[in-house]
């Protein structure tokens, strides 16, 4: 049986189809934001309040925008807005389920502050709170198997919302990235299968820099949630100031290092990736280097996100586990008395 057949066998809730549908999700997200008819307005910056699979969209959008983000685009993960938040900030509350308590708390805090708010959700308490306060809601489709598979929606919502607070609009770039992903489909599947084979049986440590830093984080969380495996991520150049030392004491077969490279990275970051890969090689089970593919920042970013998502699914197939159920997270939420 091929790796893809094994994946289809364990993937009872069709996450593979959801990853392959990212191009459709991107186009649909742009349409949904457009339909929300958000009025332009002055703001000091945009704050995306969200957790987990809904939060990463904010960081990915900031990375795709890069220097075109002329005002801050921050992602807030937690119960409170930063103490320095003023009513001039645009607060975008994103929760796929609409029931994440941290995001609901930020929604309420932003309301109490008098900040402009937008909600992006399929429903739940977030939609109820937004409607009660006349806050615009960008409605998301409830048909996606899990919140983390709605990453393209959260990315496009954050990128589009940021334009209300001064960022350049990248909707045509997002549209082109959708076409690029469609054209890359077979190559991505093949590459992902190969990378998953190289990572098998090890704990991956994923490194990114600049555009690929939030991508590294996304790979890590997808490897945690889909195959239910430990994984870690770090950012260069910072990791060269601490983490490389830790490799000295690692068991040779325990960890793999994976580096996500991009043409837009600072030349010194690119040099650091080369040297860091060499430095850890002697203590790693394997070293994998991935160079992003695509013309624009958005194309390359989303290509790398899709690749990581697919790698996580192939790792789930290797272990024979259905990638979708997240029993540990659900039972934790129940113990906490959360929804
Ligand atoms: O991937 C997941 O399912 C989680 O990381 C969720 O995204 C996280 O718990 C937040 O949930 P929601 O996106 O519904 O707010």
């Amino acid at each position: 049986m091929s790796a893809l057949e094994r994946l289809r066998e364990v993937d009872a809730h069709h996450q593979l189809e959801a990853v392959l549908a990212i191009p459709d999700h991107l186009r649909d997200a742009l349409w949904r934001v457009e339909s929300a008819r958000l009025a332009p307005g002055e703001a000091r910056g945009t704050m995306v309040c969200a957790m987990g699979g809904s939060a990463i969209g904010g960081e990915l959008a900031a990375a795709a925008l890069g220097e075109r983000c002329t005002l801050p685009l921050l992602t807030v993960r937690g119960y409170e807005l930063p103490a320095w938040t003023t009513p001039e900030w645009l607060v975008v509350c994103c929760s796929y389920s609409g029931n994440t308590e941290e995001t609901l708390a930020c929604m309420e805090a932003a309301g109490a502050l008098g900040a402009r708010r937008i909600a992006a959700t399929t429903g739940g308490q977030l939609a109820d709170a937004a409607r009660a306060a006349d806050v615009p809601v960008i409605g998301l489709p409830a048909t996606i198997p899990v919140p983390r598979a709605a990453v393209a929606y959260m990315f496009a919502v954050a990128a589009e919302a940021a334009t209300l607070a001064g960022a350049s609009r990248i909707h045509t770039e997002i549209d082109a990235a959708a076409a690029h992903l469609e054209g890359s489909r077979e190559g991505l599947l093949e590459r992902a299968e190969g990378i998953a084979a190289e990572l098998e049986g090890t704990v991956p440590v994923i490194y990114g820099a600049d555009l690929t830093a939030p991508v590294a984080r996304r790979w890590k969380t997808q490897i945690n949630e889909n195959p239910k495996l430990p994984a870690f991520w770090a950012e260069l150049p910072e990791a060269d100031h601490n983490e490389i030392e830790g490799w000295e004491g690692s068991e040779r077969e325990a960890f793999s290092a994976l580096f996500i490279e991009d043409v837009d990275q600072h030349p010194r970051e690119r040099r650091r990736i080369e040297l860091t890969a060499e430095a850890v090689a002697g203590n790693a089970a394997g070293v994998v280097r991935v160079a992003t593919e695509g013309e624009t920042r958005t194309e390359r970013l989303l290509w790398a996100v899709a690749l990581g998502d697919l790698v996580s699914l192939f790792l789930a197939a290797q272990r024979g586990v259905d990638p979708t159920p997240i029993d540990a997270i659900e039972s934790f939420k129940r113990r906490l008395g959360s929804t």
Side-chain angles (χ1 to χ4, degrees), residues 51-54 95-98 100 147-148 225 326 333:
M51 300 302 299
S54 291
S95 167
Y96 186 75
S97 63
T100 296
R148 57 191 177 279
E225 291 190 65
I326 40 171
K333 284 184 179 176

Side-chain angles (χ1 to χ4, degrees), residues 3-313:
L4 192 57
E5 284 165 349
R6 258 201 315 278
L7 170 53
R8 289 196 190 279
E9 205 170 75
V10 296
D11 186 18
H13 303 83
H14 310 295
Q15 273 209 66
L16 173 62
E17 303 316 320
V19 177
L20 299 177
I22 287 178
D24 297 330
H25 294 179
L26 290 168
R27 293 187 198 105
D28 187 42
L30 290 176
W31 178 81
R32 284 169 188 266
V33 178
E34 188 84 40
S35 308
R37 298 190 175 281
L38 305 170
E42 297 275 297
R44 288 210 170 159
T46 308
M47 228 172 251
V48 174
C49 298
M51 300 302 299
S54 291
I56 195 69
E59 284 185 353
L60 293 170
L65 281 159
E67 289 174 358
R68 294 169 294 183
C69 211
T70 49
L71 289 170
L73 169 53
L74 307 178
T75 300
V76 175
R77 292 177 171 92
Y79 291 91
E80 291 177 285
L81 305 179
W84 42 258
T85 314
T86 62
E88 292 78 33
W89 278 78
L90 169 65
V91 178
V92 185
C93 296
C94 299
S95 167
Y96 186 75
S97 63
N99 291 323
T100 296
E101 63 178 36
E102 297 93 321
T103 311
L104 292 169
C106 287
M107 174 78 175
E108 198 179 326
L113 194 66
R116 180 176 177 193
R117 294 176 291 172
I118 295 170
T121 184
T122 55
Q125 296 170 60
L126 182 59
D128 292 344
R131 286 197 191 102
D134 231 359
V135 168
V137 178
I138 300 167
L140 304 178
T143 46
I144 296 175
V146 279
R148 57 191 177 279
V151 63
Y153 281 95
M154 297 306 185
F155 163 77
V157 163
E160 285 286 89
T163 65
L164 300 172
S168 308
R169 214 162 162 218
I170 57 166
H171 63 300
T172 50
E173 204 169 291
I174 295 174
D175 206 44
H180 174 250
L181 278 178
E182 275 164 347
S184 310
R185 183 186 158 128
E186 293 314 314
L188 279 166
L189 282 166
E190 202 179 306
R191 192 74 204 278
E193 186 186 327
I195 293 172
E198 289 189 75
L199 299 180
E200 188 168 9
T202 70
V203 175
V205 184
I206 299 137
Y207 292 97
D210 182 42
L211 181 77
T212 68
V215 178
R217 183 179 194 143
R218 170 73 177 179
W219 278 55
K220 174 247 189 270
T221 58
Q222 288 291 82
I223 293 172
N224 294 148
E225 291 190 65
N226 288 336
K228 292 71 167 106
L229 284 171
F232 300 92
W233 78 282
E235 192 171 352
L236 292 175
E238 176 65 16
D240 288 341
H241 296 267
N242 35 64
E243 190 160 309
I244 48 167
E245 204 61 41
W247 281 92
E248 293 291 313
S250 120
E251 295 283 332
R252 172 124 207 191
E253 296 309 316
F255 296 93
S256 292
L258 188 143
F259 296 86
I260 312 176
E261 307 178 44
D262 181 71
V263 286
D264 258 5
Q265 283 160 339
H266 189 286
R268 297 295 289 164
E269 284 171 346
R270 290 172 67 74
R271 180 73 183 130
R272 278 174 182 276
I273 288 178
E274 263 175 46
L275 292 179
T276 310
E278 274 171 35
V280 304
N283 292 302
V287 173
V288 182
R289 290 175 63 173
V290 174
T292 57
E293 290 182 16
E295 289 292 318
T296 64
R297 283 178 77 83
T298 306
E299 277 184 12
R300 300 196 304 276
L301 175 101
L302 293 172
W303 180 92
V305 167
L307 180 65
D309 285 9
L310 292 171
V311 167
S312 73
L313 295 179

